[in-house]
Amino acid sequence: MVLDQLAPRFRVTFVGDTALGGSRGTLRAMDEWFQRLFRLLPDARFELREVAVDGPPWNTRIAGLFTVRATTALGEPYENVFVQYARLRYGRVSWYEIHEDSLRFSRLCARLGEHGVAEAVAPPITD
């Protein structure tokens, strides 16, 4: 599980002013964030298209280009692209930041909210 890969001290940021936006630095907040992600996109599948890795074990930097495909909470198909930057210290994630096509995701959240999915328009989970 992703939570097991986080360092004791970490910071995770999903860029954008959406229900998934904001930064988190506790396991509790990250667990809540992943639960929300999979309630909004229940069958999300992530395809890593490109990856670049650099640095020593105590400061490994990774950049990845991804495509996410899913069925929304309304049963509609969803696809988006994102770049994820991460820093690892001895194999544990100490920092990562996700830059998704925020306009596409924001439109999805608005549509879900219009159809009664309140969590799609809820404030971000942060700590």
Side-chain angles (χ1 to χ4, degrees), residues 15-110:
V15 176
D17 188 18
T18 66
L20 292 181
S23 294
R24 285 144 297 282
T26 64
L27 291 175
R28 178 200 53 76
M30 282 307 306
D31 184 50
E32 289 177 18
W33 186 89
F34 277 111
Q35 288 180 39
R36 177 177 284 178
L37 167 67
F38 287 108
R39 281 191 297 270
L40 298 175
L41 301 171
D43 64 350
R45 298 165 312 282
F46 303 93
E47 174 191 350
L48 175 60
R49 297 170 36 205
E50 294 286 334
V51 67
V53 180
D54 188 38
W58 57 89
N59 189 23
T60 307
R61 294 171 309 280
I62 302 173
L65 173 62
F66 293 81
T67 298
V68 57
R69 291 180 183 87
T71 305
T72 72
L74 297 176
E76 301 169 341
Y78 175 76
E79 184 173 312
N80 207 340
V81 296
F82 64 95
V83 175
Q84 180 172 295
Y85 299 96
R87 177 167 287 138
L88 280 68
R89 293 188 193 284
Y90 297 104
R92 306 281 303 269
V93 176
S94 60
W95 169 85
Y96 76 84
E97 199 165 291
I98 304 161
H99 295 260
E100 188 170 26
D101 180 339
S102 58
L103 180 58
R104 181 174 289 182
F105 187 71
S106 180
R107 287 178 178 159
L108 169 65
C109 289

